[in-house]
Amino acid sequence: MTEQHEQPAHTFERGTDGPKVIVVGVDGSDSSLRAAAYAGGLARRQHALLAVVYVQPVLAAGAALGAPVADTTDEIAEDLITQIREAAERVKGIFDVRWEFHTFRGDPYGGLVKAADELKADAVVVGASEQAGHRIIGSVAVRLVKAGRWPVTVVP
C-alpha cells in the first residue's frame, strides 16, 4: 500500500528567503563594474545588503623599488567609492539599495574570502577575469567557486 499526501497548491510567497548579504568584488575593471551592477539589481530585488569590496593589492616588489603603492591603491579605492556614490545618487528614488563599501589589503582571493566571512555573506558576485594568465593559473572567480563556501556568480 502506498501512502499519498496531498500537495498544497503553490501560492506566491513574498518574503526574504533570498540572500541577506551579497558581496561583490570590484577593482575598477569593466567586468567588475558589470558585476557590481548585477549584484546591485540582485540586492534590490532581494532586499539584501550589497557589500561592495575592493581589495587593495600588496605589492612587495613595487614597495621595494620605492613605488608609492599604498597611495595608488588608496586613490583607486577613493575613485571606486565616488563612482558608486554617483551611481547610487542617479537611481535614488527609482531603485533603493542598501550598500556599504569595504576595503581590504592583500591578494584579491584572500581579501574576498575574508570579506565574505566577516560580513557573513550569503552570495558572492565577481567579474570574469580579463587577464590572459588566469586561464592557466586560475582566476579569483574559479578559486572562489572551488572554495565551495558560498554561491558564486561570475559576471562576464
Side-chain angles (χ1 to χ4, degrees):
M1 178 167 163
T2 52
E3 193 173 322
Q4 292 184 350
H5 298 280
E6 280 189 39
Q7 295 289 334
H10 181 70
T11 57
F12 180 75
E13 180 181 340
R14 185 179 300 260
T16 57
D17 285 342
K20 301 270 193 259
V21 178
I22 299 169
V23 167
V24 60
V26 295
D27 62 6
S29 67
D30 288 342
S31 67
S32 78
L33 297 177
R34 286 191 296 272
Y38 178 87
L42 184 60
R44 178 186 56 81
R45 290 186 298 279
Q46 297 292 332
H47 305 289
L49 172 66
L50 177 63
V52 181
V53 176
Y54 170 61
V55 181
Q56 297 181 355
V58 177
L59 304 173
L65 296 173
V69 175
D71 292 344
T72 302
T73 59
D74 287 344
E75 286 175 22
I76 293 169
E78 288 301 319
D79 184 49
L80 286 169
I81 197 162
T82 299
Q83 288 180 44
I84 295 163
R85 280 192 179 125
E86 288 171 356
E89 200 57 40
R90 282 193 302 270
V91 297
K92 194 173 188 173
I94 301 169
F95 301 118
D96 290 321
V97 177
R98 293 180 305 124
W99 63 278
E100 301 174 347
F101 185 80
H102 301 269
T103 60
F104 293 87
R105 288 195 186 276
D107 72 286
Y109 170 76
L112 286 172
V113 166
K114 182 177 179 180
D117 284 344
E118 287 183 8
L119 299 168
K120 295 179 177 38
D122 297 301
V124 177
V125 180
V126 292
S129 176
E130 296 178 349
Q131 296 182 1
H134 286 169
R135 292 190 183 112
I136 299 165
I137 301 167
S139 67
V140 171
V142 169
R143 292 173 67 194
L144 287 168
V145 170
K146 285 182 177 180
R149 294 165 62 179
W150 324 266
V152 177
T153 302
V154 183
V155 177

